[in-house]
Amino acid sequence: MKKALECALILTDKHLVISKKIQECSNYTIQKKLRHQQSFIEQQIIQFLEEIQEFKDLIMLQNDLKMLYIKLINYYSKQIHLKINRFQMELDLLEFESKFALTAFSAKKHKIHNHEIEIIQQKLNSYYQLIKK
């Protein structure tokens, strides 16, 4: 279990390095590739955190494992929370745009996109709640 948590922390460090590269890069294509790498790492770690929930009680008994686990939980819950906020801003923008939409088609398109984002937010919220337990 300790090795698995250490590997997850290594991936988390890689996630942080990619974040710094994204901030330093001005090329949109490269940023897009880096964000894709980041998303892949996030998916792996969140899946890992979901799978180890059944061993959480054992992890909490050992201080070294507990510290690694808490570090992962704090980092990825913060990442998920940031994504939830980003999607909320997008929803707010869509709502604002739909108020000024010129055609019914455009308003319907906004509503569909709005629904898709809400579904994503619900999934992110469930991940957030699961790893914060």
Side-chain angles (χ1 to χ4, degrees):
M1 184 61 66
K2 185 174 182 175
K3 285 285 186 198
L5 287 169
E6 288 172 349
C7 288
L9 280 175
I10 290 170
L11 282 175
T12 300
D13 290 341
K14 185 175 179 180
H15 189 273
L16 284 167
V17 168
I18 293 172
S19 291
K20 289 178 184 175
K21 285 182 181 179
I22 290 171
Q23 290 173 353
E24 295 169 356
C25 182
S26 59
N27 184 323
Y28 178 75
T29 307
I30 294 172
Q31 283 181 346
K32 189 175 178 179
K33 289 177 185 177
L34 291 171
R35 283 193 180 93
H36 180 71
Q37 290 175 356
Q38 256 189 333
S39 286
F40 185 70
I41 291 170
E42 284 176 13
Q43 289 170 357
Q44 287 179 317
I45 299 298
I46 290 171
Q47 185 178 15
F48 170 73
L49 290 172
E50 282 182 295
E51 290 173 4
I52 65 170
Q53 288 302 306
E54 59 191 72
F55 304 109
K56 183 179 175 186
D57 294 336
L58 294 172
I59 291 170
M60 292 306 196
L61 293 175
Q62 298 179 25
N63 276 343
D64 57 338
L65 296 180
K66 181 179 176 181
M67 296 306 290
L68 296 173
Y69 177 78
I70 289 172
K71 186 175 180 178
L72 286 171
I73 291 297
N74 288 338
Y75 182 78
Y76 286 99
S77 60
K78 185 178 178 181
Q79 294 299 314
I80 291 170
H81 192 69
L82 289 172
K83 282 188 176 187
I84 290 170
N85 287 340
R86 183 176 50 104
F87 282 116
Q88 186 59 50
M89 286 189 298
E90 192 172 335
L91 283 172
D92 293 343
L93 178 63
L94 283 171
E95 184 178 325
F96 176 78
E97 288 176 348
S98 68
K99 287 180 183 178
F100 297 99
L102 299 176
T103 64
F105 174 75
S106 181
K108 184 178 180 181
K109 184 176 142 186
H110 284 297
K111 215 174 221 177
I112 291 169
H113 192 62
N114 195 355
H115 181 68
E116 291 170 352
I117 291 173
E118 286 174 350
I119 290 171
I120 292 169
Q121 272 191 308
Q122 289 171 356
K123 287 180 184 178
L124 289 171
N125 271 327
S126 66
Y127 286 140
Y128 182 77
Q129 294 303 320
L130 179 69
I131 65 174
K132 275 308 232 184
K133 285 183 185 176

